[in-house]
Amino acid sequence: MSLFISCKKTDLATYTGENNIYFNNKLSNQTYIPVDYGIYSFGYVDPKIRETVFPVIVMTTGGTSEKDRPYKLVIDPASTLVKGRDYTIENKSFTIKAGQVSDTLQVKLLRSTELKKESLGLLFKLEPNENFSTSMNSQEIGTGNNKYTSYFTQFTLEANDIPGAPDFWDPAKSNYASLTIAYLGQFSGTKFKLLIERFGLNLEELTSPSYIPSASGILAWTFGLKSYLDEQAATGNPILDDNGKPMELGVYAQ
């Protein structure tokens, strides 16, 4: 699924005097970088959980107003998440309220059987109206072979119910995976769920394609998990992995 929009390198500060509408940006090293995608997988959570709310923040670069200001949000027809079956949008209106400069889309994802087959996507677009413009369109991130374009005015939300390895643990997707495997061992859904539960990790962050844990983070997870596994084994309650055998970590954790 793709959407072709003209690329225009921008600087957020250029538009601070205008009422531009855009999807929320993250601040990294004092530079605003547009975040134009999100991923959620039910494959890592308890089967009893049948729905979740994924927040998508919409903001404006201008100041506040004394009145409510509706903005124009459309869903691209190429989207493969189906309304009512895979998701609903809880917002009653798409509006920047009086005195505010942001709004949060409450996208409720439903754990449908279709999500067990493949990842499906929902493509949002912000369009100009009488209250807001979309002059702040996109930004080029990185340099050389690592350069890519990220958009302010579109947001893709992907969802599935497949417990696959996140990119930083998948050798086919990241060179970093070799380090992850050396410490945490081979990926399994059970191990990943345990990691999330033991350390209170954020699922959306872990499964983001751009996420890479720090080396210190990998070490903390590894030896914290090892301590827990050893403790459970010593009490006669070994933690079993997907294959029915006691869970094992990587060669650097031995």
Side-chain angles (χ1 to χ4, degrees):
M1 176 177 61
S2 61
L3 178 68
F4 296 97
I5 298 179
S6 60
C7 172
K8 181 180 180 182
K9 187 173 182 179
T10 64
D11 183 338
L12 189 64
T14 303
Y15 299 96
T16 52
E18 298 182 19
N19 289 320
N20 271 280
I21 196 78
Y22 68 103
F23 288 110
N24 185 38
N25 292 254
K26 65 181 179 181
L27 185 62
S28 176
N29 297 324
Q30 305 306 309
T31 300
Y32 281 92
I33 300 175
V35 178
D36 59 9
Y37 62 86
I39 300 174
Y40 185 86
S41 176
F42 284 104
Y44 307 112
V45 300
D46 192 298
K48 294 179 182 178
I49 297 176
R50 306 308 303 172
E51 60 186 42
T52 189
V53 173
F54 192 102
V56 179
I57 299 174
V58 176
M59 298 191 72
T60 176
T61 55
T64 61
S65 172
E66 296 180 353
K67 64 177 183 178
D68 290 353
R69 293 173 292 170
Y71 57 90
K72 186 176 181 180
L73 178 81
V74 299
I75 296 175
D76 192 278
S79 299
T80 49
L81 280 168
V82 177
K83 186 177 182 179
R85 185 194 71 185
D86 307 315
Y87 79 95
T88 61
I89 297 177
E90 301 298 283
N91 302 60
K92 294 181 179 179
S93 67
F94 305 130
T95 304
I96 304 295
K97 299 293 186 181
Q100 303 295 319
V101 293
S102 67
D103 184 42
T104 302
L105 298 178
Q106 302 288 345
V107 185
K108 180 184 286 186
L109 294 171
L110 309 175
R111 198 169 192 170
S112 70
T113 56
E114 297 299 316
L115 296 182
K116 290 184 176 294
K117 302 174 184 178
E118 60 180 333
S119 290
L120 301 178
L122 185 61
L123 190 56
F124 295 107
K125 293 169 58 180
L126 291 169
E127 295 187 349
N129 65 1
E130 65 276 11
N131 295 312
F132 302 104
S133 66
T134 54
S135 301
M136 195 173 73
N137 182 267
S138 64
Q139 183 174 338
E140 294 177 2
I141 310 298
T143 59
N145 293 333
N146 295 320
K147 182 184 291 186
Y148 66 95
T149 302
S150 192
Y151 296 97
F152 291 98
T153 54
Q154 72 177 62
F155 187 90
T156 300
L157 173 58
E158 292 186 11
N160 65 58
D161 195 0
I162 305 168
D167 283 12
F168 72 89
W169 210 332
D170 186 345
K173 297 179 180 178
S174 172
N175 292 331
Y176 193 88
S178 59
L179 179 66
T180 305
I181 293 171
Y183 281 96
L184 289 174
Q186 294 297 324
F187 174 83
S188 74
T190 298
K191 186 184 296 182
F192 194 43
K193 289 177 185 177
L194 180 60
L195 194 67
I196 292 170
E197 293 169 0
R198 293 294 300 172
F199 297 99
L201 304 178
N202 184 293
L203 177 59
E204 290 85 352
E205 180 181 30
L206 291 181
T207 55
S208 168
S210 63
Y211 178 73
I212 298 178
S214 66
S216 60
I218 288 287
L219 284 170
W221 296 346
T222 299
F223 292 103
L225 204 55
K226 177 175 170 52
S227 177
Y228 175 72
L229 294 177
D230 289 346
E231 176 184 310
Q232 293 302 303
T235 60
N237 183 38
I239 302 301
L240 304 182
D241 214 331
D242 291 351
N243 58 8
K245 298 179 180 180
M247 187 175 291
E248 296 182 350
L249 299 176
V251 294
Y252 290 173
Q254 306 308 315

